[in-house]
Amino acid sequence: MVRRTAARAHLRVISSDCPAPMGGGGGGGARDRYGDLADRHLAAILAAEDTAERHGFNPHVRSTCALHRCWIHECISDPAHVLPETGHRWCEDCESPVDVVVSPGFVRLRCAGCGTEPDSAANREVLHACRTSLAAVRAGRPRSVYPMPDA
C-alpha cells in the first residue's frame, strides 16, 4: 500500500549564490531561465516549480505559470489555461470555458454559459493554485516598517 501525504509538496528555493547541485548539468538550468525577471522571488519559485515538475509535481497546482512567466493568478484568465480535456477552467454541464475572478484574498470560478460555479476536481486545482499564488506574493513582500510615535 502506498501512502500519500499532502497534495502540495514543499519546494526548496535555491538562492542565486548557491552552487549548482552535483550532476545538474552545469549552467544553473531552471534558475538561468528566469534570470531576466526583476521579481527574484517569482523567479526562484518558477525555477523551483519547473524542477519539481520534472520530478513528478502536478503542473496543474503550480503557483506560477512557466508559459507567461508570472504568478498563476495574474494570467489564469488567459484562454491558454482553459483545458477541456482535463476539465481545468471548464464547465462540463454546458461545455464552455469558466471565468476566473481574482481579487486580493478572493478567487471564484463562474461559468459564463450557465451561470454556475462549476465544482470538479480540476476546477478545485485551479482555485488552489490561484490561492497559493496569492499567498506566495504576500509572503514575498518586504514587511512594512512603522516608525515609533514620539511620546
Side-chain angles (χ1 to χ4, degrees), residues 7-8 58 60-62 72 76 86-90 92 98 100 107-109 117-132:
R8 180 118 173 121
N58 181 351
H60 300 294
V61 295
R62 288 181 65 127
I72 195 68
I76 192 66
T86 61
H88 291 85
R89 282 200 53 217
W90 189 253
E92 294 175 2
V98 172
V100 183
V107 182
R108 191 170 102 193
L109 300 179
E117 293 184 20
D119 183 39
S120 67
N123 283 327
R124 284 190 298 274
E125 285 180 342
V126 170
L127 291 170
H128 176 75
C130 288
R131 290 174 182 146
T132 303

Side-chain angles (χ1 to χ4, degrees), residues 28-44:
R31 286 184 286 164
D32 290 344
R33 192 172 315 131
Y34 306 109
D36 61 324
L37 293 178
D39 183 346
R40 300 314 303 151
H41 178 64
L42 170 61

Side-chain angles (χ1 to χ4, degrees), residues 4-13 41 44-46 48-50 52-53 56-65 71-72 124-137:
R4 298 195 84 166
T5 57
R8 180 118 173 121
H10 295 282
L11 301 177
R12 180 175 159 238
V13 178
H41 178 64
I45 301 298
L46 274 161
E49 288 184 342
D50 284 354
E53 195 175 326
F57 184 68
N58 181 351
H60 300 294
V61 295
R62 288 181 65 127
S63 61
T64 61
C65 175
W71 297 104
I72 195 68
R124 284 190 298 274
E125 285 180 342
V126 170
L127 291 170
H128 176 75
C130 288
R131 290 174 182 146
T132 303
S133 177
L134 285 165
V137 168

